[in-house]
């Protein structure tokens, strides 16, 4: 496992990462990330890494540069979380696939606008999800979607709305 940054500026009610890392973002340089990976590969013979940042997609070009730096070491990559859906454009998804990534976890959390906005305080627009899932399919990435059910205040109607929306996304897996 590796963290290339600390912090998360968002205020999602279901997440406690800000208690450990704060809301202010702090980034290791791409050079520092490469040095850490080189050390882990040399010292421990690692074959892959799990990116555990809470908000890996911070910065316009940094995510691209970090993925390219990791790829140079011929390591498999898995993103446990951290891939903000709003930032997953076709170009970045293609880069992930070309770098050997085969699966990504999409932090959808709910298919209900009410639950996302009012209960979770998660800044996610549902209209972005089908496009990202479609682009994942186009580049050959398997999609595993995080879903949370039972938020305080969530109704059966919210769950049914989420279920219908998620069925229309055609992702590979929901958990």
């Amino acid at each position: 496992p590796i963290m290339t940054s600390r912090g998360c500026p968002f205020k999602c009610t279901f997440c406690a990462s800000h208690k450990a890392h704060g809301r202010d973002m702090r980034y290791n340089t791409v050079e520092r990330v490469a040095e850490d990976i080189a050390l882990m590969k040399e010292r421990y013979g690692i074959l892959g890494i799990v990116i555990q940042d809470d908000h890996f997609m911070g910065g316009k070009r940094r995510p691209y540069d970090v993925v390219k730096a990791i790829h140079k070491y011929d390591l498999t990559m898995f993103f446990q979380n951290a891939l903000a859906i709003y930032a997953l454009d076709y170009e970045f998804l293609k880069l992930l696939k070309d770098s050997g990534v085969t699966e990504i976890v999409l932090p959808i959390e709910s298919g209900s606008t009410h639950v996302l906005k009012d209960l979770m305080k998660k800044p996610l627009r549902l209209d972005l999800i089908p496009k990202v899932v479609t682009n994942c399919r186009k580049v050959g990435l398997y999609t595993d979607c995080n879903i949370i059910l039972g938020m305080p205040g969530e109704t059966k109607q919210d769950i049914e709305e989420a279920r219908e929306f998620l069925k229309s996304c055609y992702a590979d897996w929901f958990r």
Side-chain angles (χ1 to χ4, degrees):
I2 187 172
M3 290 186 86
T4 72
S5 66
R6 299 285 192 278
C8 183
F10 303 114
K11 297 179 180 177
C12 303
T13 60
F14 58 85
C15 183
S17 71
H18 67 280
K19 292 292 186 185
H21 303 291
R23 296 208 190 278
D24 293 334
M25 291 302 300
R26 287 139 3 254
Y27 302 99
N28 285 339
T29 64
V30 175
E31 294 77 22
R32 167 66 191 270
V33 173
E35 289 169 13
D36 288 348
I37 290 169
L39 178 68
M40 290 187 294
K41 188 166 182 174
E42 179 184 317
R43 187 175 292 171
Y44 304 109
I46 65 169
L47 301 174
I49 61 171
V50 178
I51 309 290
Q52 292 189 324
D53 298 38
D54 291 315
H55 184 51
F56 182 80
M57 300 305 293
K60 193 76 170 157
R61 293 305 309 172
R62 184 181 181 278
Y64 291 82
D65 296 340
V66 171
V67 168
K68 289 174 186 174
I70 294 169
H71 181 59
K72 287 179 185 175
Y73 290 94
D74 195 31
L75 297 171
T76 60
M77 278 179 267
F78 180 72
F79 291 83
Q80 186 174 345
N81 52 26
L83 294 175
I85 290 172
Y86 71 86
L88 295 177
D89 59 19
Y90 184 86
E91 179 188 357
F92 187 73
L93 295 171
K94 181 90 169 88
L95 173 65
L96 290 177
K97 180 63 177 177
D98 292 345
S99 299
V101 174
T102 58
E103 168 188 356
I104 63 172
V105 177
L106 297 175
I108 295 173
E109 320 310 358
S110 179
S112 163
T113 301
H114 165 69
V115 172
L116 286 169
K117 182 180 175 194
D118 300 327
L119 303 180
M120 293 181 171
K121 309 292 187 222
K122 183 175 175 78
L124 172 62
R125 291 184 5 233
L126 290 179
D127 63 304
L128 299 175
I129 296 168
K131 182 177 181 179
V132 169
V133 171
T134 297
N135 284 339
C136 285
R137 257 188 217 291
K138 284 180 183 175
V139 302
L141 288 171
Y142 180 85
T143 51
D144 187 354
C145 305
N146 279 342
I147 305 298
I148 299 172
L149 291 174
M151 285 294 294
E154 187 174 29
T155 65
K156 287 181 181 181
Q157 181 180 344
D158 293 328
I159 293 170
E160 185 56 31
E161 176 187 334
R163 192 171 149 288
E164 289 304 314
F165 174 77
L166 295 169
K167 282 181 3 185
S168 74
C169 292
Y170 302 107
D172 296 302
W173 191 257
F174 295 94
R175 64 173 147 143

